[in-house]
Amino acid sequence: MLIRNNKEKGAQPMENSGIYVGLDIGTTSIKVIVAEYVKNQLNIIGVGSERSDGLSRGVIVDIDRAVTAIKKAVAQAEQKANIQISDVIVGIPADLLEIVPCSGMIAIGDENGNSKEINNDDVYSVTKAALTQKLPPERDIIDVLPDEFIVDGFDGIKDPRGMIGVRLEMKGVVYTGPKTILHNTLKCVQMAGLNVKDTLVAPLALSTVALSDGERDFGTVLLDLGGGQTTAAVVHDHKLKYTYVDQEGGKFITKDISVVLNTSLENAEKVKRNYGYAASYLASKDDLFPVEVVGKTDTVQISGEYLGEIIEARLTQIFTKLKNALVQVNALGLPGGIVITGGVAALPGVKELAEDIFDVNIRIFIPQQMGLRHPSFAQAIGLIQYMTIRSEIEVVVKSALSGNVKQVSQKAEETNNPQLVKVDFDGKKAESKQKKQSKSGAFEGLKNFFNTFFD
């Protein structure tokens, strides 16, 4: 998807090699993961991780410093993977993200009104028609996803190519974000000597690796506890329906520890990682550890319980704000409960504290790939995972943003198994009896909510 082969002189670029590079530009760290997708499995072949610079609360505020940090992370990944990275998949944060429905219609028949077979060009054209809506000057499109296609009035079609008709419609969703965030992110990547192969909405990509198929289908809240901010995302019917960003994260916990214990930020971070508990009642007042205090020659003994109280206070504040936002959209009633990931999720007691505050089922997601078993790597892995499971029709639709439909076939080959669905006689998506039954009954009470708010 993106590479030149190893750095031997004269090596030629490899096409359709199945190698992907995910670039996660976070507030506290920048992570680069190189993975090879072979036989429906991701094999991690290189990892780079560098402390972030030039970012604040998930947003780039100093391009030059951010570029330097990106270059260092990429160099680490290149050395370990023994390749020269040229193309990367970049995640765009959910700050001020807007989810807007879109629809378009085109005529595909000939001058005499005869039907014709629908192809990639037709899908491209109908997507262009759906994107004609005028955006505010300060916003730009990050991604566009199709919900359904309608051929001559027959709806519920997931992939119309190969069908015949005279009229083609598409209904989908457009994800837009602040032009400043998108521009600065792409500018940094390009200045680092890289080509942006694709941009993805970060929470949507993360959901493909952190949530199971059932959780993404029936509805789940995904919390990404990052260093600079915390993002709550509601995923239902395999779509991102709602996001909320709280501009507080792990760096705020570190700062609280620094202020209360009168120690440097560097020492506060070490203390948090080595002795911290998210729920103070899980720590012991008898477990003491030394802390270097500014203005004192000797270290001061601090109890684990006291440190836990500092951490718990900040996390409680974050979780409470998230809960208030999620309650307003009734998201806490979703069957999947809440799945938590991100660097702060590594703190012991996060699950217990979240259960006390949200009062729903809580699960912590930690990647299981060798060498990446830490929740801070989840986002970078999600960027790659999303690309490997993306359907061919989604690739065709996304090509309308770049304006290059000629490369659709090549891009489609880089995705895995186009997800085509059957259409029954009334044009609705075929659905097994078992799946219909599983969605009824216990979840019938959620039906009105989904029909009104999410849809």
Side-chain angles (χ1 to χ4, degrees):
M1 172 84 192
L2 58 142
I3 37 26
R4 298 186 190 96
N5 199 5
N6 42 27
K7 299 181 180 180
E8 298 176 5
K9 187 176 181 180
Q12 297 298 317
M14 292 168 49
E15 299 294 337
N16 301 324
S17 63
I19 294 182
Y20 298 78
V21 175
L23 173 59
D24 175 26
I25 305 175
T27 305
T28 56
S29 67
I30 294 175
K31 292 181 169 55
V32 178
I33 294 181
V34 184
E36 185 176 14
Y37 189 64
V38 180
K39 296 180 179 179
N40 296 329
Q41 287 188 340
L42 277 180
N43 300 317
I44 307 298
I45 60 176
V47 179
S49 181
E50 180 68 24
R51 177 174 293 183
S52 288
D53 199 4
L55 281 93
S56 176
R57 300 184 178 184
V59 178
I60 295 171
V61 295
D62 190 317
I63 291 179
D64 291 335
R65 289 163 59 189
V67 168
T68 300
I70 292 173
K71 287 182 177 180
K72 291 180 180 179
V74 170
Q76 294 177 25
E78 286 182 329
Q79 182 178 13
K80 294 177 182 178
N82 193 30
I83 67 170
Q84 181 175 340
I85 297 173
S86 59
D87 298 351
V88 294
I89 309 158
V90 182
I92 305 298
D95 299 71
L96 301 177
L97 180 73
E98 288 187 2
I99 306 173
V100 184
C102 67
S103 61
M105 180 179 68
I106 62 170
I108 56 177
D110 58 23
E111 297 178 354
N112 299 322
N114 297 321
S115 59
K116 68 177 285 285
E117 187 172 299
I118 300 170
N119 55 29
N120 283 342
D121 291 334
D122 298 318
V123 174
Y124 176 89
S125 298
V126 77
T127 304
K128 278 291 189 181
L131 295 176
T132 55
Q133 56 187 325
K134 187 175 181 180
L135 290 176
E138 72 278 4
R139 301 193 69 80
D140 216 339
I141 297 176
I142 303 172
D143 205 349
V144 55
L145 292 174
D147 282 334
E148 67 169 345
F149 292 88
I150 304 172
V151 179
D152 295 346
F154 291 93
D155 60 359
I157 300 172
K158 293 303 181 183
D159 190 343
R161 294 173 302 165
M163 299 180 181
I164 61 172
V166 297
R167 186 178 73 253
L168 176 64
E169 300 175 63
M170 187 198 83
K171 293 183 178 180
V173 62
V174 174
Y175 298 99
T176 72
K179 186 171 294 186
T180 299
I181 293 179
L182 189 60
H183 171 80
N184 291 349
T185 300
L186 299 183
K187 184 70 174 179
C188 283
V189 177
Q190 292 165 357
M191 288 180 65
L194 303 168
N195 174 53
V196 179
K197 195 66 175 180
D198 212 337
T199 56
L200 304 177
V201 179
L204 182 60
L206 178 60
S207 70
T208 63
V209 66
L211 304 183
S212 67
D213 183 75
E215 288 170 335
R216 287 188 290 139
D217 188 9
F218 286 101
T220 304
V221 176
L222 178 60
L223 298 187
D224 182 10
L225 307 185
Q229 60 187 23
T230 302
T231 304
V234 177
V235 180
H236 169 250
D237 196 23
H238 296 268
K239 300 179 182 67
L240 181 64
K241 301 291 188 177
Y242 171 81
T243 60
Y244 174 82
V245 177
D246 177 34
Q247 298 295 336
E248 296 181 13
K251 290 186 70 173
F252 288 79
I253 298 175
T254 301
K255 188 175 182 180
D256 290 345
I257 296 172
S258 174
V259 171
V260 175
L261 300 185
N262 198 24
T263 188
S264 67
L265 288 172
E266 184 179 357
N267 288 333
E269 182 66 23
K270 291 179 180 178
V271 166
K272 181 183 73 174
R273 295 188 178 188
N274 295 335
Y275 307 102
Y277 278 85
S280 60
Y281 64 85
L282 296 177
S284 172
K285 63 176 63 177
D286 298 326
D287 291 336
L288 304 177
F289 54 89
V291 176
E292 296 179 9
V293 176
V294 175
K296 292 188 178 182
T297 304
D298 298 329
T299 59
V300 175
Q301 297 294 313
I302 301 296
S303 72
E305 183 183 50
Y306 184 49
L307 175 63
E309 289 174 351
I310 300 172
I311 297 173
E312 181 180 333
R314 175 63 69 173
L315 274 177
T316 298
Q317 177 176 309
I318 294 173
F319 284 164
T320 300
K321 285 191 287 185
L322 294 177
K323 180 179 181 180
N324 292 338
L326 293 170
V327 165
Q328 291 181 9
V329 295
N330 297 324
L332 293 181
L334 294 172
I338 295 177
V339 175
I340 300 177
T341 191
V344 180
L347 280 174
V350 166
K351 180 177 184 292
E352 289 79 3
L353 180 63
E355 287 174 339
D356 292 340
I357 295 176
F358 292 103
D359 194 28
V360 299
N361 181 55
I362 304 290
R363 179 172 69 84
I364 304 294
F365 172 76
I366 300 175
Q368 295 304 304
Q369 286 84 354
M370 187 67 67
L372 302 178
R373 291 172 182 169
H374 192 280
S376 62
F377 288 102
Q379 181 64 73
I381 298 174
L383 295 173
I384 298 174
Q385 178 74 9
Y386 183 90
M387 295 295 288
T388 64
I389 67 172
R390 189 168 58 165
S391 67
E392 184 177 338
I393 192 65
E394 290 174 341
V395 175
V396 178
V397 168
K398 183 70 175 284
S399 70
L401 292 182
S402 63
N404 193 350
V405 71
K406 294 181 180 180
Q407 294 182 1
V408 165
S409 297
Q410 178 181 333
K411 290 183 178 181
E413 290 175 1
E414 294 167 351
T415 62
N416 179 50
N417 295 335
Q419 299 172 356
L420 307 179
V421 299
K422 296 180 179 179
V423 179
D424 57 19
F425 290 107
D426 65 357
K428 302 295 183 180
K429 184 178 78 172
E431 185 176 35
S432 67
K433 182 178 180 180
Q434 180 180 1
K435 186 173 182 181
K436 288 182 178 179
Q437 291 175 343
S438 65
K439 287 187 178 181
S440 60
F443 305 126
E444 186 64 23
L446 298 173
K447 183 176 180 180
N448 291 334
F449 167 59
F450 291 146
N451 289 338
T452 54
F453 178 76
F454 284 137
D455 293 332

